[in-house]
Amino acid sequence: TQSTWGNNRQNVFELVFDDDEGGECSLTLRDLTGEISAEIALRIATTLQSDQISSLTELNLANNRMGDDSVRHISTAIQNSHFSLTKLSLHCNRISADGARDIAAAMQRHRTLTKLYLGNNLINNEGARYIALAIQSGECALKELYLNDNRIGDEGAGHVATAIQRLCSLTLLYLNGNLIGDEGACHIANAVQSGECSLTTLYLGYNHIGDIGARQMGFAIQSTNCPLIMLDLSRNRISPRGAHHIANAIQNNRLRLQKVDLRHNYLPNSIVQVMTQAMERRKSFHLIAAKEHFRVEELGEFLSAAGDCGWAEVVQTVLNRIVTLQNGRRILKLKTYHM
């Protein structure tokens, strides 16, 4: 089966589905010059609904600035298709809450979908609610959900938290780069220890989580009901007080958690030492607490990141000493402290 489309800049894309051997196939139309307009999206959608297309398993339309109208056509096609889609990539497409509503409808009708990439869009709290409702509908088999960089705040995190404690199949949730604070973190912490959650991997880095959220997360990961194996809390607003709760939690030998990322928070040496000792007792545990060594060219990047932390305290980075590696390259060994 062969189809040809063009966009508003006269680019032409050709798709050939080869079903002769009944094998799986995928379609990638990403990083196109210009954008996929609603007109082109409708033509793609019409092709996707063809009886002759039955082996498509992966659809990648990322980085095309599609917008909600185009996404509506694609979502409708997925609902009415004859293939069993398992992976859908729609990140970086200017999708708002309206587009998220259409995608949620497709999620419930297409029960083979297990991976959904919606990062770097504009779905915000309302869009998160639509996605969450689809997850908890009982008609969704999604296992991996990427909602990073979507302007989702505490309200949206609350919707997602409600969904993941309703016996859904989700095992990986990516919420990095949003606007989630302590309230949203507490919602999620309560969900992961509910006994009904199946999440094993949770990314909450690059948010606004402070000590209250860290405390609740510390309580959650100690729960025997918590299924988490990997937790990312990097680049939040966790001070020594909040870090203390995480440190206490990882000393629990019954903990399922095997990896925690706390980079770009303030972890004093005393807290890191407690965590390191816990790691020594639990040989399978991996802590990412701080990057101690930097190449010279990385110093500027580190200083810039440290200045954007938003903590009440000012992070002061100082040169400790210069060391020489075995390969002869010089690096800077740094340490951080609060003034």
Side-chain angles (χ1 to χ4, degrees):
T1 303
Q2 179 173 309
S3 299
T4 303
W5 312 294
N7 72 357
N8 58 351
R9 295 193 183 185
Q10 305 304 312
N11 293 301
V12 176
F13 330 119
E14 185 174 80
L15 165 67
V16 178
F17 289 97
D18 185 0
D19 291 341
D20 291 343
E21 297 181 3
E24 297 180 351
C25 67
S26 62
L27 165 61
T28 297
L29 293 174
R30 56 173 293 165
D31 301 315
L32 302 177
T33 304
E35 63 186 43
I36 294 181
S37 66
E39 178 185 356
I40 298 302
L42 180 58
R43 296 175 64 183
I44 295 174
T46 300
T47 302
L48 291 176
Q49 295 176 75
S50 168
D51 291 340
Q52 296 175 297
I53 298 177
S54 60
S55 59
L56 185 68
T57 57
E58 299 184 8
L59 178 58
N60 188 346
L61 295 171
N63 301 301
N64 284 310
R65 298 184 294 167
M66 294 172 64
D68 292 336
D69 289 341
S70 296
V71 167
R72 183 176 66 252
H73 294 313
I74 300 299
S75 297
T76 300
I78 292 173
Q79 293 181 62
N80 299 324
S81 65
H82 300 277
F83 49 77
S84 298
L85 200 65
T86 60
K87 179 179 178 181
L88 175 61
S89 300
L90 290 171
H91 48 276
C92 298
N93 268 303
R94 301 186 302 187
I95 300 170
S96 74
D98 290 341
R101 180 181 57 216
D102 294 323
I103 294 169
M107 290 168 59
Q108 295 177 74
R109 292 287 298 274
H110 218 79
R111 300 191 64 177
T112 58
L113 188 64
T114 57
K115 297 181 181 180
L116 177 59
Y117 297 81
L118 284 178
N120 294 95
N121 282 296
L122 308 167
I123 73 170
N124 61 51
N125 292 329
E126 185 181 2
R129 180 172 69 87
Y130 291 130
I131 299 298
L133 289 173
I135 292 173
Q136 60 186 299
S137 67
E139 301 297 324
C140 177
L142 206 63
K143 292 185 179 297
E144 298 183 11
L145 176 60
Y146 296 79
L147 292 176
N148 54 291
D149 301 285
N150 262 294
R151 303 180 183 178
I152 297 171
D154 291 334
E155 180 186 344
H159 294 312
V160 174
T162 300
I164 63 176
Q165 58 183 321
R166 297 287 179 85
L167 290 174
C168 74
S169 56
L170 208 62
T171 59
L172 182 149
L173 177 59
Y174 209 103
L175 286 170
N176 275 20
N178 282 293
L179 306 173
I180 300 170
D182 284 334
E183 181 182 347
C186 289
H187 288 314
I188 294 173
N190 291 335
V192 298
Q193 60 180 319
S194 65
E196 307 292 339
C197 178
S198 57
L199 274 186
T200 58
T201 305
L202 175 60
Y203 288 88
L204 287 171
Y206 291 75
N207 277 288
H208 302 163
I209 300 170
D211 293 339
I212 295 175
R215 181 187 64 192
Q216 290 303 113
M217 199 60 68
F219 292 154
I221 60 179
Q222 291 185 79
S223 170
T224 56
N225 291 328
C226 181
L228 287 181
I229 295 175
M230 190 281 178
L231 173 63
D232 177 14
L233 289 172
S234 61
R235 199 179 285 276
N236 275 284
R237 299 176 177 179
I238 302 172
S239 79
R241 183 179 302 174
H244 179 74
H245 293 288
I246 302 294
N248 285 341
I250 68 172
Q251 294 181 77
N252 187 338
N253 290 327
R254 298 188 304 274
L255 206 67
R256 296 183 185 178
L257 196 69
Q258 296 179 9
K259 181 177 181 180
V260 60
D261 189 343
L262 290 169
R263 286 176 294 181
H264 302 294
N265 290 288
Y266 175 53
L267 300 181
N269 290 335
S270 59
I271 297 293
V272 174
Q273 185 176 6
V274 169
M275 292 182 173
T276 302
Q277 291 172 351
M279 288 168 55
E280 292 174 352
R281 291 193 300 270
R282 300 179 61 226
K283 297 185 183 300
S284 62
F285 190 82
H286 182 47
L287 168 69
I288 307 176
K291 189 175 184 181
E292 297 180 350
H293 296 85
F294 289 77
R295 294 189 303 272
V296 173
E297 59 266 26
E298 293 180 300
L299 178 58
E301 179 184 347
F302 178 80
L303 291 173
S304 175
D308 293 336
C309 291
W311 298 322
E313 301 92 347
V314 177
V315 176
Q316 178 69 36
T317 305
V318 294
L319 176 62
N320 184 30
R321 61 192 172 104
I322 297 178
V323 298
T324 303
L325 296 180
Q326 290 181 352
N327 62 8
R329 298 190 63 183
R330 298 176 72 193
I331 62 172
L332 301 177
K333 184 177 180 182
L334 304 174
K335 67 179 180 181
T336 61
Y337 63 90
H338 276 143
M339 296 182 65

